[in-house]
Amino acid sequence: MQRQNYRSRDIESTVDEAIYYLPEDEEGTALRDRILLISGIAAMERDKLVMANRYFSDVTLESVFTPPALLHYGWNLLAQWRYEDAIQPWRILQQLYDEYHPAVVESYLAVPHTLELVDAVNQSVLAYERVEDRLSVMVDELKQLNQRDSLGAWLGEWREENQQEDWGWQRQKLTDLPQSQVTRFAQGLLKEEAFNQELARLHDLDRIRADLARALYQLGLWQDVLEQRRSNLEALGGEALLDELEARQMDVLRDILAVQDRLLDEDETVFSFASKADEVRISRLRNVVPAVTALQKIGTPTRDLAPYKERWRRMRGLQLWSIYEAQPQRKWDTERDHMILRSETDKLFRQLENTRTSLIWADSYWQGFPERVQQLKTRIVELDVIVADLQQEQESVLTDMARDYLTELDERLTLYLAQARLALARLYDDSLQQEFGSEPVASSAEPARDVKASTSEQTGKEAE
């Protein structure tokens, strides 16, 4: 609306409405200060100085828009011939912000200029002298810092601090440059979007090189693992070991089949699924039969073998009854254990087959793999060289931008310094002219007093 020359009343109502509905948080406060700053500058351009005072005075003292608002506020008051009031915003600006801030530097000249307008010549001279000394130091320091080596070290420190920053939203921290003299001089440069974009590109290149270095390191680890696995596989003797295991597996399978045949034969046995103790007792019963038979052959009328035979039959019946009673459970347990053994044997057979297949695949997998890893490492090294060249170019771009900005700042500070020195020369000349004009002709041969001494005396009287 301001650029398209809307009516002042429409702009004022829009500004008031926008400020009223802004949220009371950090972002809302920053936007409010920015609106007030822009509106104040527009009001100054339209010669609505009283309204500009209201806009500038409503800006808070804790945002990035505070320094330019205080600077313009002083100039706006100066335009209304409110000289003493104009100095106050500049004093606040110099107290709150760094002396290298562009707005603060400009306020250095504004204060003695205002003092000169109110005929405070002595104070103005002292203020101009302080400004001259300060600007001289700043110009000399700026010339020393505006070198490729110092700017390269400045960027190197920033890159070292941000080397752990990853991609994405965390890159907003890239604008936090190290606290150094270069940063103090380049405060205005750090606010430029173009410079921040170039910084982001340099950070991206740094991250790419870091990723390439990490990939190269991981490929080196893969090469080591590859050689170790190949050596272990070759030392293991996989083929011979698998043949031996398969032979053992066949022996176990034959034993299992023999057990299966025994189980089939067990069903046709009288004392089937007898335990070891049962077999001992059965053996004892069988050993009794020949003895009874022998006694029967040599039997005498007085010897009755019927009780022995009855006892033998009774023991045999008890033994059969005991074995038959436990037979179902024993048969079930035996068949179950046999099936589990067959299942484990089948699993072992499948594992051996899979191991042999894996061994065949491993042998084929090693083929060409070292060459592929080496090709990738070569490619990464080539990319790293390319990115390194891009890094150097990007460093040169950032260094040139910083040098151009510092050169312009050097010219501006030199101009401020020249203005301060010209103002001092003019004030000295005016003071000398007044002294020569007020003295009698007879005393014209006497040496003129030093201007600085006279101004110091007058300052002392004003202080008293």
Side-chain angles (χ1 to χ4, degrees):
M1 292 175 66
Q2 293 169 359
R3 291 173 181 173
Q4 295 177 4
N5 295 322
Y6 273 69
R7 292 187 306 172
S8 298
R9 183 177 302 175
D10 297 336
I11 297 177
E12 294 165 10
S13 60
T14 303
V15 170
D16 294 338
E17 184 178 0
I19 292 175
Y20 179 79
Y21 287 106
L22 281 175
E24 295 182 359
D25 53 12
E26 184 178 358
E27 184 177 0
T29 302
L31 184 56
R32 174 179 177 274
D33 291 344
R34 183 176 184 180
I35 293 174
L36 291 172
L37 174 61
I38 296 175
S39 303
I41 295 174
M44 285 181 62
E45 295 175 351
R46 289 180 170 85
D47 293 332
K48 294 198 171 187
L49 305 182
V50 177
M51 183 175 296
N53 289 339
R54 180 171 63 87
Y55 287 144
F56 289 137
S57 61
D58 289 342
V59 176
T60 63
L61 297 178
E62 299 176 352
S63 69
V64 296
F65 306 103
T66 304
L70 290 173
L71 181 65
H72 285 85
Y73 189 22
W75 288 119
N76 188 66
L77 293 173
L78 187 65
Q80 303 175 58
W81 300 288
R82 297 170 59 181
Y83 302 118
E84 295 181 359
D85 295 336
I87 296 178
Q88 296 304 318
W90 294 329
R91 293 299 188 189
I92 296 174
L93 176 62
Q94 295 172 8
Q95 293 174 1
L96 293 181
Y97 293 92
D98 189 84
E99 60 179 349
Y100 291 86
H101 194 285
V104 177
V105 175
E106 184 175 344
S107 68
Y108 287 154
L109 285 176
V111 172
H113 173 69
T114 307
L115 293 174
E116 184 181 358
L117 293 178
V118 296
D119 293 333
V121 179
N122 298 321
Q123 297 181 15
S124 176
V125 168
L126 294 176
Y128 273 126
E129 289 177 349
R130 288 193 297 268
V131 170
E132 180 187 10
D133 296 338
R134 184 174 297 175
L135 290 178
S136 299
V137 173
M138 293 176 67
V139 169
D140 294 338
E141 187 178 7
L142 182 58
K143 291 183 181 300
Q144 295 177 358
L145 295 175
N146 193 11
Q147 305 294 331
R148 288 193 173 273
D149 294 339
S150 59
L151 294 177
W154 175 60
L155 288 175
E157 186 178 355
W158 167 82
R159 293 167 67 181
E160 183 177 356
E161 291 181 358
N162 288 274
Q163 63 181 354
Q164 301 299 331
E165 295 296 332
D166 208 341
W167 310 89
W169 61 271
Q170 289 186 345
R171 292 201 310 177
Q172 65 182 353
K173 298 180 181 179
L174 298 181
T175 55
D176 298 337
L177 278 95
Q179 296 295 330
S180 63
Q181 289 299 102
V182 179
T183 305
R184 297 179 70 183
F185 277 111
Q187 295 181 41
L189 178 65
L190 303 182
K191 299 177 183 178
E192 295 182 4
E193 183 66 22
F195 184 76
N196 290 326
Q197 290 179 356
E198 298 298 333
L199 276 179
R201 292 190 183 96
L202 181 59
H203 178 262
D204 292 342
L205 292 173
D206 291 341
R207 296 305 307 161
I208 291 174
R209 286 206 70 185
D211 292 343
L212 290 175
R214 183 165 53 251
L216 190 62
Y217 174 73
Q218 292 175 351
L219 286 176
L221 295 180
W222 272 109
Q223 276 189 328
D224 297 338
V225 172
L226 172 62
E227 294 299 329
Q228 184 176 1
R229 288 183 177 178
R230 288 188 64 178
S231 61
N232 292 339
L233 185 62
E234 293 174 357
L236 184 63
E239 289 288 345
L241 183 59
L242 283 176
D243 293 339
E244 182 182 353
L245 291 176
E246 286 183 353
R248 291 176 57 187
Q249 196 267 345
M250 293 304 297
D251 295 338
V252 173
L253 183 59
R254 282 192 289 268
D255 294 340
I256 292 175
L257 292 176
V259 171
Q260 184 176 355
D261 294 337
R262 288 181 59 188
L263 290 176
L264 294 175
D265 296 338
E266 193 75 17
D267 292 334
E268 300 177 1
T269 306
V270 177
F271 300 102
S272 60
F273 299 99
S275 63
K276 294 293 183 181
D278 293 336
E279 291 180 354
V280 171
R281 286 190 289 270
I282 292 171
S283 176
R284 289 177 180 176
L285 288 174
R286 286 176 179 173
N287 293 332
V288 172
V289 174
V292 174
T293 304
L295 290 175
Q296 190 174 0
K297 288 181 181 181
I298 61 174
T300 59
T302 59
R303 179 174 295 177
D304 187 9
L305 298 177
Y308 293 102
K309 293 180 181 179
E310 184 63 26
R311 183 178 296 175
W312 183 85
R313 284 193 295 269
R314 187 183 302 117
M315 292 303 299
R316 183 176 181 273
L318 290 175
Q319 188 65 36
L320 287 173
W321 178 79
S322 176
I323 293 174
Y324 289 159
E325 186 181 23
Q327 181 182 4
Q329 184 64 37
R330 290 176 178 175
K331 183 179 180 181
W332 166 255
D333 294 339
T334 304
E335 290 180 350
R336 182 194 61 190
D337 294 340
H338 179 260
M339 294 302 298
I340 292 175
L341 183 60
R342 285 293 305 269
S343 176
E344 294 297 326
T345 307
D346 294 339
K347 289 181 180 179
L348 177 61
F349 180 76
R350 287 194 297 270
Q351 289 177 0
L352 290 174
E353 291 295 325
N354 293 335
T355 304
R356 184 174 293 278
T357 303
S358 300
L359 181 62
I360 296 173
W361 287 355
D363 289 338
S364 62
Y365 186 67
W366 302 130
Q367 298 176 4
F369 190 75
E371 291 76 8
R372 289 164 53 191
V373 174
Q374 188 60 39
Q375 290 176 0
L376 289 175
K377 291 181 67 175
T378 304
R379 179 58 179 164
I380 289 176
V381 171
E382 294 175 353
L383 291 175
D384 186 70
V385 173
I386 295 174
V387 176
D389 295 337
L390 293 175
Q391 271 186 324
Q392 293 181 356
E393 295 178 2
Q394 192 66 21
E395 291 175 14
S396 299
V397 170
L398 288 169
T399 303
D400 293 339
M401 293 180 67
R403 292 199 66 184
D404 293 340
Y405 176 83
L406 294 180
T407 301
E408 294 179 0
L409 181 61
D410 186 12
E411 295 176 354
R412 187 188 313 165
L413 294 180
T414 303
L415 178 61
Y416 290 162
L417 180 59
Q419 291 177 351
R421 288 174 176 173
L422 287 174
L424 281 173
R426 176 170 43 79
L427 291 175
Y428 291 156
D429 183 69
D430 292 343
S431 179
L432 289 174
Q433 292 295 335
Q434 291 178 4
E435 288 190 8
F436 283 124
S438 60
E439 290 179 354
V441 179
S443 62
S444 60
E446 297 180 0
R449 292 188 306 166
D450 187 13
V451 178
K452 291 186 179 181
S454 63
T455 53
S456 300
E457 293 175 359
Q458 185 172 355
T459 304
K461 293 180 181 179
E462 292 178 355
E464 293 175 356

